[in-house]
Amino acid sequence: MSDNYSSDDYEVVADAKLPQGMVSVRATGDGDFGTLVQTKTHAWLMDEPESVEGGLGKGPNPLELMQASLASCTLMTMGMYARRKGVELGDTRASVTYKKLPALPREAKSHFTVVLEFDPQISPEYQVKLSEIARKCPVHKLLTGMVEVVVEEA
């Protein structure tokens, strides 16, 4: 999606007034789930698919964005390591699937699976090292660590 998109009711543009590191979200009024996401440098739409009542499919849904964050961070972390070692990742890819598990006491209730597809030119030994590095991406660490979310009123 482009960083600039116009609609009759709103404009999808980055908000230079936002502090670096802050994300702001507001309802667009399109369907029940349409939201405009803005950062200091980017903006995009999010929604639920049309298969969900009230969804118009105008953008990824929150879980898809979480999956994209994990896959992107994984690939970026491996890329940073590979660049430092002078190795090209070529057509290496990361994909993520999400599954909600039955809730059991003291056990994870959500399951993300990251699948790494390495470029054929990357040796099996280096693939093992990159798989280790993949587990060090900040989003992976966030999802596997203890997280506290605080909701405050402005």
Side-chain angles (χ1 to χ4, degrees):
M1 160 163 285
S2 166
D3 285 346
N4 295 300
Y5 171 82
S6 292
S7 168
D8 293 339
D9 300 318
Y10 56 90
E11 193 172 22
V12 178
V13 294
D15 186 348
K17 295 177 281 186
L18 285 173
Q20 191 67 38
M22 179 181 278
V23 175
S24 176
V25 178
R26 68 178 177 88
T28 64
D30 285 343
D32 294 341
F33 304 105
T35 56
L36 168 63
V37 182
Q38 294 174 296
T39 69
K40 185 175 189 71
T41 56
H42 296 87
W44 63 94
L45 297 174
M46 289 184 63
D47 201 350
E48 287 290 342
E50 292 180 26
S51 61
V52 174
E53 186 178 345
L56 301 176
K58 291 191 172 190
N61 69 36
L63 276 175
E64 290 170 331
L65 193 58
M66 179 65 73
Q67 289 170 258
S69 294
L70 179 55
S72 297
C73 185
T74 298
L75 201 59
M76 289 175 181
T77 301
M78 290 188 316
M80 182 176 60
Y81 176 83
R83 184 176 56 255
R84 288 180 182 163
K85 299 298 181 182
V87 175
E88 292 291 325
L89 286 183
D91 191 26
T92 296
R93 300 171 187 214
S95 59
V96 175
T97 55
Y98 166 81
K99 183 186 332 179
K100 187 172 183 177
L101 302 175
L104 298 173
R106 300 182 186 262
E107 293 187 16
K109 297 175 181 124
S110 296
H111 182 85
F112 291 93
T113 301
V114 179
V115 176
L116 303 176
E117 298 175 60
F118 292 101
D119 187 288
Q121 295 184 27
I122 297 177
S123 73
E125 297 81 22
Y126 202 67
Q127 289 180 22
V128 170
K129 183 61 180 173
L130 287 171
S131 293
E132 291 172 17
I133 296 300
R135 290 171 179 83
K136 296 181 180 184
C137 96
V139 174
H140 181 106
K141 288 180 177 181
L142 176 72
L143 290 171
T144 58
M146 297 297 288
V147 176
E148 179 180 0
V149 177
V150 177
V151 177
E152 298 177 346
E153 294 180 16

Short mmCIF file of all heavy atoms in Angstrom, two decimals, residues 83-128:
data_model
loop_
_atom_site.label_atom_id
_atom_site.label_comp_id
_atom_site.label_asym_id
_atom_site.label_seq_id
_atom_site.Cartn_x
_atom_site.Cartn_y
_atom_site.Cartn_z
N ARG A 83 24.71 -10.18 6.40
CA ARG A 83 25.46 -9.05 5.83
C ARG A 83 26.78 -8.86 6.58
O ARG A 83 27.83 -8.64 5.97
CB ARG A 83 24.60 -7.78 5.89
CG ARG A 83 25.25 -6.57 5.24
CD ARG A 83 24.34 -5.35 5.21
NE ARG A 83 23.85 -4.95 6.52
CZ ARG A 83 22.61 -5.14 6.97
NH1 ARG A 83 21.72 -5.74 6.22
NH2 ARG A 83 22.27 -4.74 8.18
N ARG A 84 26.75 -8.97 7.91
CA ARG A 84 27.97 -8.82 8.72
C ARG A 84 28.98 -9.91 8.39
O ARG A 84 30.18 -9.71 8.50
CB ARG A 84 27.64 -8.86 10.20
CG ARG A 84 26.95 -7.63 10.69
CD ARG A 84 26.65 -7.74 12.16
NE ARG A 84 25.94 -6.56 12.63
CZ ARG A 84 25.28 -6.50 13.77
NH1 ARG A 84 25.24 -7.54 14.56
NH2 ARG A 84 24.65 -5.40 14.11
N LYS A 85 28.49 -11.09 8.01
CA LYS A 85 29.36 -12.21 7.68
C LYS A 85 29.70 -12.26 6.19
O LYS A 85 30.40 -13.17 5.75
CB LYS A 85 28.71 -13.54 8.09
CG LYS A 85 28.43 -13.64 9.57
CD LYS A 85 29.71 -13.59 10.37
CE LYS A 85 29.47 -13.72 11.86
NZ LYS A 85 30.67 -13.63 12.65
N GLY A 86 29.18 -11.30 5.42
CA GLY A 86 29.49 -11.26 3.99
C GLY A 86 28.78 -12.33 3.19
O GLY A 86 29.27 -12.74 2.13
N VAL A 87 27.62 -12.77 3.65
CA VAL A 87 26.85 -13.82 2.97
C VAL A 87 25.56 -13.22 2.43
O VAL A 87 24.91 -12.42 3.11
CB VAL A 87 26.53 -14.98 3.94
CG1 VAL A 87 25.64 -16.01 3.29
CG2 VAL A 87 27.80 -15.61 4.46
N GLU A 88 25.19 -13.59 1.21
CA GLU A 88 23.94 -13.14 0.62
C GLU A 88 22.84 -14.14 0.98
O GLU A 88 23.04 -15.35 0.85
CB GLU A 88 24.07 -13.06 -0.90
CG GLU A 88 25.00 -11.96 -1.38
CD GLU A 88 24.43 -10.57 -1.12
OE1 GLU A 88 23.19 -10.39 -1.21
OE2 GLU A 88 25.23 -9.67 -0.80
N LEU A 89 21.68 -13.64 1.39
CA LEU A 89 20.55 -14.52 1.68
C LEU A 89 19.84 -14.98 0.42
O LEU A 89 19.12 -15.98 0.44
CB LEU A 89 19.54 -13.83 2.59
CG LEU A 89 19.92 -13.66 4.05
CD1 LEU A 89 18.77 -13.01 4.82
CD2 LEU A 89 20.30 -14.97 4.68
N GLY A 90 20.05 -14.26 -0.68
CA GLY A 90 19.39 -14.65 -1.93
C GLY A 90 17.89 -14.66 -1.78
O GLY A 90 17.30 -13.73 -1.25
N ASP A 91 17.25 -15.74 -2.18
CA ASP A 91 15.79 -15.85 -2.14
C ASP A 91 15.34 -16.59 -0.88
O ASP A 91 14.50 -17.47 -0.93
CB ASP A 91 15.29 -16.56 -3.41
CG ASP A 91 13.77 -16.48 -3.54
OD1 ASP A 91 13.18 -15.53 -3.00
OD2 ASP A 91 13.18 -17.39 -4.15
N THR A 92 15.89 -16.22 0.26
CA THR A 92 15.48 -16.81 1.53
C THR A 92 14.18 -16.14 1.97
O THR A 92 14.02 -14.94 1.82
CB THR A 92 16.57 -16.62 2.59
OG1 THR A 92 17.73 -17.35 2.17
CG2 THR A 92 16.14 -17.12 3.95
N ARG A 93 13.25 -16.95 2.50
CA ARG A 93 11.94 -16.44 2.89
C ARG A 93 11.56 -16.94 4.27
O ARG A 93 12.03 -17.99 4.72
CB ARG A 93 10.88 -16.90 1.89
CG ARG A 93 11.15 -16.43 0.50
CD ARG A 93 10.23 -17.08 -0.48
NE ARG A 93 10.62 -16.73 -1.84
CZ ARG A 93 9.77 -16.55 -2.82
NH1 ARG A 93 8.49 -16.74 -2.64
NH2 ARG A 93 10.21 -16.22 -4.01
N ALA A 94 10.67 -16.20 4.92
CA ALA A 94 10.09 -16.62 6.20
C ALA A 94 8.58 -16.47 6.09
O ALA A 94 8.09 -15.47 5.58
CB ALA A 94 10.63 -15.76 7.34
N SER A 95 7.86 -17.48 6.53
CA SER A 95 6.41 -17.38 6.58
C SER A 95 5.95 -17.79 7.97
O SER A 95 6.63 -18.54 8.67
CB SER A 95 5.76 -18.28 5.51
OG SER A 95 6.14 -19.62 5.69
N VAL A 96 4.81 -17.26 8.39
CA VAL A 96 4.31 -17.51 9.73
C VAL A 96 2.84 -17.90 9.66
O VAL A 96 2.05 -17.24 8.98
CB VAL A 96 4.47 -16.27 10.63
CG1 VAL A 96 3.83 -16.49 12.00
CG2 VAL A 96 5.94 -15.90 10.80
N THR A 97 2.49 -18.95 10.38
CA THR A 97 1.09 -19.32 10.55
C THR A 97 0.74 -19.20 12.02
O THR A 97 1.60 -19.31 12.89
CB THR A 97 0.80 -20.76 10.07
OG1 THR A 97 1.68 -21.66 10.74
CG2 THR A 97 0.99 -20.89 8.57
N TYR A 98 -0.52 -18.95 12.28
CA TYR A 98 -1.02 -18.78 13.64
C TYR A 98 -2.13 -19.78 13.88
O TYR A 98 -2.97 -20.03 13.02
CB TYR A 98 -1.56 -17.36 13.84
CG TYR A 98 -2.38 -17.21 15.10
CD1 TYR A 98 -1.77 -17.04 16.32
CD2 TYR A 98 -3.77 -17.23 15.05
CE1 TYR A 98 -2.52 -16.90 17.49
CE2 TYR A 98 -4.53 -17.10 16.21
CZ TYR A 98 -3.90 -16.93 17.41
OH TYR A 98 -4.64 -16.81 18.56
N LYS A 99 -2.14 -20.35 15.07
CA LYS A 99 -3.20 -21.27 15.45
C LYS A 99 -3.54 -21.01 16.92
O LYS A 99 -2.65 -20.90 17.76
CB LYS A 99 -2.73 -22.71 15.28
CG LYS A 99 -3.80 -23.74 15.58
CD LYS A 99 -3.34 -25.19 15.57
CE LYS A 99 -2.18 -25.52 14.72
NZ LYS A 99 -1.76 -26.91 14.76
N LYS A 100 -4.83 -20.90 17.20
CA LYS A 100 -5.27 -20.76 18.59
C LYS A 100 -5.44 -22.17 19.14
O LYS A 100 -6.10 -23.01 18.55
CB LYS A 100 -6.57 -19.99 18.67
CG LYS A 100 -6.99 -19.67 20.07
CD LYS A 100 -8.18 -18.74 20.09
CE LYS A 100 -8.50 -18.40 21.52
NZ LYS A 100 -9.59 -17.46 21.63
N LEU A 101 -4.82 -22.42 20.28
CA LEU A 101 -4.88 -23.74 20.90
C LEU A 101 -5.92 -23.76 22.00
O LEU A 101 -6.24 -22.71 22.58
CB LEU A 101 -3.51 -24.09 21.48
CG LEU A 101 -2.34 -24.10 20.50
CD1 LEU A 101 -1.04 -24.33 21.24
CD2 LEU A 101 -2.55 -25.16 19.44
N PRO A 102 -6.43 -24.94 22.34
CA PRO A 102 -7.34 -25.02 23.49
C PRO A 102 -6.66 -24.49 24.74
O PRO A 102 -5.48 -24.75 24.96
CB PRO A 102 -7.62 -26.53 23.62
CG PRO A 102 -7.21 -27.13 22.33
CD PRO A 102 -6.16 -26.24 21.74
N ALA A 103 -7.38 -23.74 25.52
CA ALA A 103 -6.81 -23.13 26.72
C ALA A 103 -6.64 -24.17 27.83
O ALA A 103 -7.60 -24.81 28.24
CB ALA A 103 -7.71 -22.00 27.20
N LEU A 104 -5.41 -24.35 28.24
CA LEU A 104 -5.09 -25.22 29.37
C LEU A 104 -4.37 -24.37 30.41
O LEU A 104 -3.62 -23.47 30.07
CB LEU A 104 -4.19 -26.37 28.92
CG LEU A 104 -4.79 -27.31 27.87
CD1 LEU A 104 -3.75 -28.30 27.39
CD2 LEU A 104 -5.98 -28.05 28.45
N PRO A 105 -4.57 -24.67 31.68
CA PRO A 105 -3.90 -23.87 32.72
C PRO A 105 -2.38 -23.87 32.53
O PRO A 105 -1.77 -24.90 32.28
CB PRO A 105 -4.28 -24.58 34.03
CG PRO A 105 -5.48 -25.40 33.70
CD PRO A 105 -5.37 -25.73 32.24
N ARG A 106 -1.79 -22.69 32.64
CA ARG A 106 -0.33 -22.50 32.62
C ARG A 106 0.34 -22.92 31.31
O ARG A 106 1.53 -23.18 31.27
CB ARG A 106 0.34 -23.20 33.79
CG ARG A 106 -0.12 -22.72 35.12
CD ARG A 106 0.65 -23.44 36.22
NE ARG A 106 0.12 -23.09 37.50
CZ ARG A 106 0.66 -22.16 38.30
NH1 ARG A 106 1.73 -21.52 37.94
NH2 ARG A 106 0.12 -21.91 39.46
N GLU A 107 -0.43 -23.04 30.24
CA GLU A 107 0.15 -23.40 28.95
C GLU A 107 -0.17 -22.32 27.93
O GLU A 107 -1.15 -21.59 28.07
CB GLU A 107 -0.39 -24.75 28.47
CG GLU A 107 0.07 -25.91 29.33
CD GLU A 107 -0.32 -27.24 28.74
OE1 GLU A 107 -0.67 -27.29 27.55
OE2 GLU A 107 -0.28 -28.24 29.48
N ALA A 108 0.66 -22.25 26.90
CA ALA A 108 0.43 -21.28 25.84
C ALA A 108 -0.92 -21.54 25.18
O ALA A 108 -1.31 -22.68 24.98
CB ALA A 108 1.55 -21.37 24.80
N LYS A 109 -1.62 -20.47 24.86
CA LYS A 109 -2.92 -20.59 24.22
C LYS A 109 -2.86 -20.22 22.74
O LYS A 109 -3.81 -20.40 22.01
CB LYS A 109 -3.93 -19.72 24.94
CG LYS A 109 -4.13 -20.16 26.38
CD LYS A 109 -5.03 -19.21 27.11
CE LYS A 109 -5.18 -19.67 28.54
NZ LYS A 109 -4.82 -18.69 29.52
N SER A 110 -1.75 -19.67 22.32
CA SER A 110 -1.56 -19.28 20.92
C SER A 110 -0.27 -19.92 20.42
O SER A 110 0.69 -20.08 21.17
CB SER A 110 -1.46 -17.77 20.78
OG SER A 110 -2.68 -17.17 21.16
N HIS A 111 -0.26 -20.25 19.15
CA HIS A 111 0.89 -20.94 18.58
C HIS A 111 1.24 -20.30 17.23
O HIS A 111 0.41 -20.28 16.32
CB HIS A 111 0.54 -22.42 18.39
CG HIS A 111 1.66 -23.24 17.86
ND1 HIS A 111 2.64 -23.79 18.68
CD2 HIS A 111 1.97 -23.60 16.61
CE1 HIS A 111 3.49 -24.46 17.93
NE2 HIS A 111 3.11 -24.35 16.68
N PHE A 112 2.45 -19.78 17.13
CA PHE A 112 2.98 -19.26 15.87
C PHE A 112 4.02 -20.24 15.35
O PHE A 112 4.87 -20.69 16.11
CB PHE A 112 3.64 -17.88 16.07
CG PHE A 112 2.68 -16.79 16.39
CD1 PHE A 112 2.40 -16.46 17.71
CD2 PHE A 112 2.05 -16.07 15.38
CE1 PHE A 112 1.51 -15.44 18.02
CE2 PHE A 112 1.17 -15.06 15.68
CZ PHE A 112 0.89 -14.74 16.99
N THR A 113 3.95 -20.56 14.08
CA THR A 113 4.95 -21.41 13.45
C THR A 113 5.67 -20.58 12.39
O THR A 113 5.04 -20.04 11.48
CB THR A 113 4.31 -22.64 12.78
OG1 THR A 113 3.61 -23.39 13.77
CG2 THR A 113 5.37 -23.52 12.13
N VAL A 114 6.99 -20.47 12.53
CA VAL A 114 7.82 -19.77 11.56
C VAL A 114 8.48 -20.83 10.68
O VAL A 114 9.14 -21.73 11.19
CB VAL A 114 8.92 -18.91 12.24
CG1 VAL A 114 9.79 -18.21 11.21
CG2 VAL A 114 8.28 -17.91 13.21
N VAL A 115 8.30 -20.73 9.38
CA VAL A 115 8.93 -21.65 8.44
C VAL A 115 9.96 -20.86 7.64
O VAL A 115 9.62 -19.84 7.01
CB VAL A 115 7.89 -22.30 7.49
CG1 VAL A 115 8.58 -23.17 6.46
CG2 VAL A 115 6.87 -23.10 8.29
N LEU A 116 11.20 -21.32 7.68
CA LEU A 116 12.28 -20.68 6.93
C LEU A 116 12.54 -21.49 5.66
O LEU A 116 12.72 -22.71 5.73
CB LEU A 116 13.56 -20.64 7.77
CG LEU A 116 13.43 -19.92 9.12
CD1 LEU A 116 14.73 -20.04 9.90
CD2 LEU A 116 13.04 -18.47 8.92
N GLU A 117 12.53 -20.81 4.53
CA GLU A 117 12.87 -21.43 3.24
C GLU A 117 14.15 -20.76 2.76
O GLU A 117 14.14 -19.59 2.40
CB GLU A 117 11.76 -21.20 2.22
CG GLU A 117 10.44 -21.82 2.60
CD GLU A 117 9.36 -21.46 1.60
OE1 GLU A 117 9.52 -21.80 0.40
OE2 GLU A 117 8.38 -20.83 2.02
N PHE A 118 15.23 -21.52 2.79
CA PHE A 118 16.53 -20.95 2.45
C PHE A 118 16.82 -21.04 0.96
O PHE A 118 16.43 -22.01 0.30
CB PHE A 118 17.65 -21.66 3.23
CG PHE A 118 17.60 -21.39 4.70
CD1 PHE A 118 17.07 -22.32 5.58
CD2 PHE A 118 18.07 -20.19 5.20
CE1 PHE A 118 17.01 -22.06 6.94
CE2 PHE A 118 18.02 -19.92 6.56
CZ PHE A 118 17.50 -20.86 7.43
N ASP A 119 17.51 -20.05 0.46
CA ASP A 119 18.00 -20.08 -0.91
C ASP A 119 18.86 -21.33 -1.06
O ASP A 119 19.66 -21.65 -0.16
CB ASP A 119 18.84 -18.81 -1.19
CG ASP A 119 19.24 -18.68 -2.63
OD1 ASP A 119 20.11 -19.47 -3.08
OD2 ASP A 119 18.69 -17.80 -3.31
N PRO A 120 18.73 -22.05 -2.17
CA PRO A 120 19.50 -23.30 -2.35
C PRO A 120 21.01 -23.11 -2.28
O PRO A 120 21.74 -24.06 -2.00
CB PRO A 120 19.09 -23.78 -3.74
CG PRO A 120 17.86 -23.03 -4.10
CD PRO A 120 17.83 -21.79 -3.28
N GLN A 121 21.50 -21.89 -2.50
CA GLN A 121 22.95 -21.66 -2.48
C GLN A 121 23.51 -21.54 -1.06
O GLN A 121 24.72 -21.52 -0.87
CB GLN A 121 23.28 -20.41 -3.29
CG GLN A 121 22.96 -20.59 -4.76
CD GLN A 121 23.39 -19.39 -5.58
OE1 GLN A 121 24.32 -18.67 -5.22
NE2 GLN A 121 22.71 -19.17 -6.69
N ILE A 122 22.62 -21.47 -0.05
CA ILE A 122 23.09 -21.37 1.34
C ILE A 122 23.35 -22.79 1.85
O ILE A 122 22.49 -23.66 1.78
CB ILE A 122 22.05 -20.65 2.22
CG1 ILE A 122 21.88 -19.20 1.73
CG2 ILE A 122 22.48 -20.68 3.68
CD1 ILE A 122 20.83 -18.42 2.47
N SER A 123 24.54 -23.01 2.37
CA SER A 123 24.94 -24.35 2.82
C SER A 123 24.08 -24.81 3.99
O SER A 123 23.59 -23.98 4.78
CB SER A 123 26.41 -24.35 3.25
OG SER A 123 26.55 -23.68 4.48
N PRO A 124 23.91 -26.13 4.15
CA PRO A 124 23.14 -26.65 5.28
C PRO A 124 23.70 -26.20 6.64
O PRO A 124 22.93 -25.91 7.55
CB PRO A 124 23.25 -28.17 5.12
CG PRO A 124 23.48 -28.37 3.66
CD PRO A 124 24.30 -27.19 3.22
N GLU A 125 25.02 -26.11 6.75
CA GLU A 125 25.63 -25.67 8.00
C GLU A 125 25.24 -24.22 8.31
O GLU A 125 24.96 -23.87 9.46
CB GLU A 125 27.16 -25.79 7.94
CG GLU A 125 27.67 -27.21 7.77
CD GLU A 125 27.62 -27.70 6.32
OE1 GLU A 125 27.59 -26.87 5.38
OE2 GLU A 125 27.57 -28.93 6.13
N TYR A 126 25.25 -23.37 7.29
CA TYR A 126 24.90 -21.97 7.49
C TYR A 126 23.40 -21.81 7.74
O TYR A 126 22.99 -20.92 8.47
CB TYR A 126 25.37 -21.12 6.29
CG TYR A 126 25.53 -19.68 6.65
CD1 TYR A 126 26.52 -19.26 7.53
CD2 TYR A 126 24.67 -18.72 6.13
CE1 TYR A 126 26.66 -17.93 7.89
CE2 TYR A 126 24.80 -17.38 6.48
CZ TYR A 126 25.79 -16.99 7.35
OH TYR A 126 25.92 -15.68 7.71
N GLN A 127 22.59 -22.69 7.17
CA GLN A 127 21.16 -22.67 7.44
C GLN A 127 20.88 -22.92 8.93
O GLN A 127 20.03 -22.27 9.52
CB GLN A 127 20.43 -23.73 6.60
CG GLN A 127 20.39 -23.38 5.13
CD GLN A 127 19.66 -24.44 4.31
OE1 GLN A 127 18.85 -25.20 4.83
NE2 GLN A 127 19.94 -24.47 3.01
N VAL A 128 21.64 -23.84 9.53
CA VAL A 128 21.49 -24.12 10.96
C VAL A 128 21.81 -22.86 11.77
O VAL A 128 21.08 -22.50 12.70
CB VAL A 128 22.39 -25.31 11.40
CG1 VAL A 128 22.43 -25.44 12.91
CG2 VAL A 128 21.89 -26.59 10.75
#
